Amino acid sequence: MRYLPLTADDRAEMMKTIGAKSVDDFYNDVPVSARLKGPVPGLPNHVGELEVERHMTKLSKKNRAASDGPFFVGCGAYKHHIPASVDHIIQRSEFLTTYTPYQPEIAQGTLQTMFEFQTQVAALTGMEVANASMYDGSTACAEAAVMACRVTKRNTVVLSGGLHPHYADTTRTLCEANGIKVIQLTPAVDGELELSKHVDDAACVIGQTPNVFGTLTDLTPVADAAHAKGALLVTVFTEVVSLGLVKTPGEMGADIAVGEGQSIGVPLGFGGPYVGLFTCKSKFMRQMPGRLCGETVDADGKRGFVLTLSTREQHIRRDKATSNICTNSGLCMLAFTAHMTLLGDNGLTHLATLNHEAACDLADALAAVKGVKVLTTRYFNEIAFETMKPADQVLAALEKHDVIGGVRASRLFPGAGMDNVIVAAATECCTAADIAAYAQALAQVLA
Amino acid sequence: MTMNSTGRPTSISANGGSGTDVTVSGSKGLLQAEGLIFEIGSSDKTGVDLPKPKGTKSRLGGVTRGAPSGLPGLTEPEAVRHYVRLSQKNYAIDLGLFPLGSCTMKHNPRLNEKMARLPGFADVHPMQPQATVQGALEVIEELADWLMKLTNMPAVAMTPKAGAHGELAGMLAIRAALIARGEGEKRKRVLVPVSAHGTNPATAAQCGFIIDEINAAADGRVDLEDLKSKLVDSSDVAGIMLTNPNTCGLFERDIKAIADLIHAAGGYFYCDGANFNAIVGRVRPGDLGVDAMHINLHKTFSTPHGGGGPGSGPTVLSAALAPYAPVPFITKTADGLRFVEHHSEAPDSFGRMCAFHGQMGMFTRALAYILSHGADGLRQVAEDAVLNANYILARLKPLMSPAFEGYCMHEALFSDAFLKDTGVETIDIAKGLIDEGYHPMTMYFPLVVHGAMLIEPTETESKAELDRFCDALASIARRAVQKDPSLKTAPHLAPARRLDETRAARSPRLKWTPETPTMKAAE
Ligand SMILES: Cc1ncc(COP(=O)(O)O)c(C=O)c1O
């Protein structure tokens, strides 16, 4: 076995040192009825690299990769180009094969990247503090709702009709378990400002911009309305690249801002692992979930970094912790920070501009197709549009033209009467030819 | 041939060896000093070349960014150097034994990395039409099948994103089952041993349960009498969260009795499977009466820890809990595999616990690992992991103080009893190991053992590496008993000296700010 260094002689010699007769001696505490005499039945034995590669490659070929042709799927995960050096950096042994930096003297590499990440995320969102990552945007959203209840000592959270339904469902699951009441507003392409009407007695209202239909909303009026009633504003984004151009959560007066960081540095990967971003005002710092890295000095007075404020966390506070999270998204955090470092402010703004232009071009191209109505009016890189035909049929027909045209709203919100609506995203990866191919195929499908 | 050494000094001259490590650059030989990106980069630099925007349209509707982020960029050569220099300040499995108990720091096979990066896995979108991702669904199904067979459990929830998230899945399933029985309001008490990992009580609390701690017996297992006393009035008991093998590195020999007691009391048995590496292929938790157990793919199944994540925590479920599993899950239809994504299609499900379908990137890695090992190799994994730990226990027993008598499972646990009256503490032993070129063991956990030192070597260490480690730790133990003062200030040879954690927590600086004075001297 290529991964097991002990030889038969080693094992025998070690047994002698231990004074045991066989490994069975070590398993003496296992109830007799539960002791397996040999390998688990019904499963094959070990194979070499070649066989594994053959099998996995065969399975991978059954999937249509985003880069295989025109591709316009968004809704919480976005196809972006990742610089080659990012993957090189995250595959450095010293980053890939190390653990949570609990021993800071030999983990300054990880810790400094965390500190840089926290600074970048705070600057991008315009918020005061950021943590060192959550599992993904949806769990960050759920934790934000629970945290808002802790902070305000209230027990109701209100979710906008434009919040990604997976985020809404994830939040509801955690809230219900905590005895928190969840009010979910009706799905709507442009519904975020509705939140202002539901601030009374709420711990927080949660709005998304750009929302799941692509709509951008300045949530400042919601922040004002919420604050006037002692509620918090939690903002959500699923497309972090938008922050290169759009008004930030901080500028809108958000108290907590969470989002998905996948778009910077992390491949689509069929939905995970991703990297949840979690930020808030400094006054709520001690109520945050997750790990935080802080600056300090070592015994020689040299600058260094450590995990800090851990009295919030499960390993110290146990059942009183702010969250149960332990393992987070470390390596995806590194990918994010490395890609962001390669971009810089100008690079990000530039990238965001290209995304926005691609979406404008897509919207114009689709709007020119007979029978298409574009529903989103203010957007970044994603739009919703409606046709006269059921979206599932349209998307299936587009697939025959090798165009993966987006997500049907009925998959997001079944039974919401949005059967003919499609949500489509365009990024810097979509060429003019891709967009033309989409419009052409759609014209044929709708004809 | 001998080397021509004319004019070339080959040894340090009497006055040439400088005795000081102060350099103008701040670097020490191969160890390069490296500033923060905010100090070395600038916002007009970039490591990406993008096409020129056309600069025509804007449909942002005025929702535009006010102030720029001002974040610095670096060109590719500068960025690569920045991260490679930083990487060299980290310890890693690829450098040496990483005996962090409870964390299973085993070798991460590179084949897994290669498989995860196949475009058909890495470049597919979670929301693209399901007909175009049948291979991805097959991977999930195949891995799920292995996990169910290895545990002899009838169902598995694949979406949890780490161990703690798997605990949440299991406890939410228990909560849903109790509600379905009409006992949701009544049964709120969850029994948790004092030795449990912090995530166990934290998770139970997140599900609205009340934690009732049970004591450890003198032999490191659950105190069965204490457990029984907590079940005298059991009408409010929801279940137990028990780690097995437990956090002391021991198999809970009364596990079946415990399962029976809990079930008789009307509760469920959540097993924390963080230590599955000790028993994989030899014992199936389903044969022990378990109702739910998470499996950390980043432990037993070798997906890289990545400096703190990502992980993956598939959670196997008994028939009693399976109906309450989270969405999405996969079903077989005439058209192939399909996700059940919505609560409306699975009304008993407790709902969704994250966006999309779980940690696919970890599934491909774990499956490659599992196929590589096969049923025979996985059994050998457990046996070698346990053998290695017992070898360390046997070699260090004469010098250190084992926390409990007898053999251990995959980790060897010591208390600080052997340090009594030396002035040396567990943390000093840990920091001493750093100077010897090792990552320290887990320290001060589990809480039931004073000054705990938990050593988990895993199966991917050779005997020579184990011997080297034991020699190093033995010498530290001897120095400790001799009250060697240099241990109190160790490490001396690491990239950083001991860091002031109190200062970090007292006035938290969680991000770089331009005003930050470079701190040259300790206060
Ligand atoms: C015993 C035990 N339980 C639970 C966990 C939590 O797992 P994770 O970090 O994957 O959330 C860990 C590991 O950190 C552990 O050691």
Side-chain angles (χ1 to χ4, degrees), chain B residues 146-480:
Chain B
W146 273 94
L147 297 179
M148 289 187 290
K149 286 186 174 137
L150 289 172
T151 56
N152 196 25
M153 298 285 277
V156 58
M158 294 298 285
T159 55
K161 286 181 168 272
H165 211 216
E167 293 172 28
L168 189 62
M171 295 312 287
L172 286 174
I174 289 173
R175 181 176 175 273
L178 291 172
I179 291 172
R181 276 163 45 182
E183 296 187 289
E185 286 309 312
K186 196 172 87 184
R187 292 186 178 267
K188 285 283 180 204
R189 189 156 56 100
V190 171
L191 305 172
V192 183
V194 203
S195 60
H197 193 259
T199 50
N200 291 187
T203 301
Q206 271 207 328
C207 299
F209 291 118
I210 296 150
I211 283 74
D212 192 3
E213 290 200 323
I214 32 178
N215 290 326
D219 67 355
R221 278 88 173 172
V222 166
D223 181 340
L224 211 54
E225 291 316 307
D226 191 41
L227 174 65
K228 283 179 187 157
S229 75
K230 301 257 154 96
L231 292 175
V232 171
D233 176 10
S234 65
S235 59
D236 63 340
V237 168
I240 188 169
M241 293 184 88
L242 181 63
T243 310
N244 188 50
N246 69 21
T247 57
C248 298
L250 303 169
F251 196 93
E252 289 286 351
R253 69 172 77 87
D254 294 320
I255 189 154
K256 282 192 125 169
I258 294 169
D260 291 344
L261 283 169
I262 285 295
H263 289 148
Y268 296 94
F269 178 5
Y270 186 89
C271 182
D272 181 327
N275 294 335
F276 192 44
N277 205 48
I279 58 170
V280 60
R282 283 203 59 119
V283 183
R284 296 177 301 184
D287 297 337
L288 301 170
V290 165
D291 288 301
M293 183 184 91
H294 75 261
I295 299 166
N296 309 64
L297 297 185
H298 46 298
K299 297 184 179 179
T300 310
F301 297 113
S302 85
T303 74
H305 280 82
S312 179
T315 302
V316 291
L317 298 169
S318 65
L321 295 184
Y324 310 103
V327 288
F329 53 83
I330 293 173
T331 54
K332 293 192 177 77
T333 71
D335 301 332
L337 299 171
R338 190 178 77 79
F339 280 120
V340 171
E341 290 185 302
H342 288 282
H343 214 177
S344 52
E345 288 179 90
D348 288 337
S349 163
F350 71 70
R352 179 177 276 280
M353 50 191 319
C354 61
F356 313 125
H357 331 294
Q359 305 284 68
M360 183 66 183
M362 304 294 115
F363 298 161
T364 43
R365 288 172 174 88
L367 183 59
Y369 176 89
I370 285 175
L371 293 173
S372 293
H373 284 78
D376 57 337
L378 289 173
R379 187 177 167 93
Q380 191 69 53
V381 161
E383 292 179 356
D384 284 359
V386 170
L387 174 60
N388 283 354
N390 277 288
Y391 183 67
I392 289 178
L393 181 62
R395 279 215 45 195
L396 294 173
K397 211 186 275 183
L399 288 161
M400 294 169 61
S401 31
F404 302 103
E405 267 178 38
Y407 297 131
C408 61
M409 293 253 74
H410 65 308
E411 42 196 7
L413 179 59
F414 297 91
S415 76
D416 61 2
F418 75 104
L419 297 174
K420 193 164 183 294
D421 300 331
T422 63
V424 177
E425 297 165 73
T426 291
I427 190 164
D428 307 320
I429 302 288
K431 301 300 182 192
L433 264 179
I434 292 177
D435 279 337
E436 289 288 342
Y438 290 101
H439 194 282
M441 63 289 268
T442 290
M443 40 181 210
Y444 302 107
F445 175 83
L447 307 179
V448 290
V449 169
H450 200 270
M453 287 166 249
L454 185 63
I455 303 177
E456 179 181 10
T458 85
E459 73 284 2
T460 59
E461 298 302 331
S462 68
K463 178 168 178 298
E465 187 78 41
L466 294 173
D467 280 327
R468 247 168 35 96
F469 172 76
C470 289
D471 292 346
L473 187 46
S475 91
I476 293 168
R478 274 187 222 103
R479 281 165 60 202

Side-chain angles (χ1 to χ4, degrees), chain A residues 2 27 29 33 46 62 64 66-67 77 93 103 173 245 270 295-296 303 342 350 357 361 379 411, chain B residues 39 47 51 54-55 57 59 65 94 123-125 128 138 221 256 278 342 352 372 376 431 500 519:
Chain A
R2 62 188 180 277
Y27 291 91
D29 288 337
S33 62
H46 71 277
K62 293 188 184 178
R64 201 278 205 179
S67 305
S93 288
Q103 297 288 347
T173 301
L245 282 182
F270 201 52
E295 184 182 315
T296 186
R303 178 172 70 190
L342 287 161
H350 190 158
E357 287 185 349
D361 290 347
Y379 51 85
R411 184 171 174 186
Chain B
E39 295 157 351
K54 288 176 293 197
K57 299 165 186 167
R59 310 266 168 74
R65 185 165 185 129
D94 286 355
D123 191 29
V124 290
H125 191 290
Q128 70 188 68
E138 276 182 51
R221 278 88 173 172
K256 282 192 125 169
H342 288 282
R352 179 177 276 280
S372 293
D376 57 337
K431 301 300 182 192
D500 189 345
M519 285 181 264

Side-chain angles (χ1 to χ4, degrees), chain A residues 156-274:
Chain A
T156 304
V157 305
V158 185
L159 313 180
S160 79
L163 181 63
H164 193 298
H166 291 179
Y167 287 49
D169 290 350
T170 302
T171 302
R172 188 176 317 103
T173 301
L174 193 64
C175 284
E176 276 175 4
N178 277 274
I180 296 166
K181 188 176 160 203
V182 177
I183 296 171
Q184 164 91 61
L185 305 185
T186 318
V189 174
D190 189 1
E192 303 307 309
L193 291 178
E194 275 292 299
L195 286 172
S196 298
K197 297 183 194 149
H198 301 269
V199 292
D200 287 346
D201 303 327
C204 69
V205 293
I206 305 184
Q208 183 178 327
T209 178
N211 74 11
V212 74
F213 300 101
T215 301
L216 285 172
T217 311
D218 184 349
L219 293 167
T220 308
V222 182
D224 294 341
H227 295 157
K229 297 283 181 179
L232 304 188
L233 171 66
V234 176
T235 68
V236 175
F237 52 89
T238 61
E239 174 48 294
V240 64
V241 171
S242 68
L243 291 172
L245 282 182
V246 309
K247 191 164 182 173
T248 65
E251 288 168 338
M252 296 181 196
D255 299 284
I256 304 173
V258 296
E260 177 53 65
Q262 172 270 329
S263 283
I264 299 183
V266 182
L268 286 174
F270 201 52
Y274 288 173

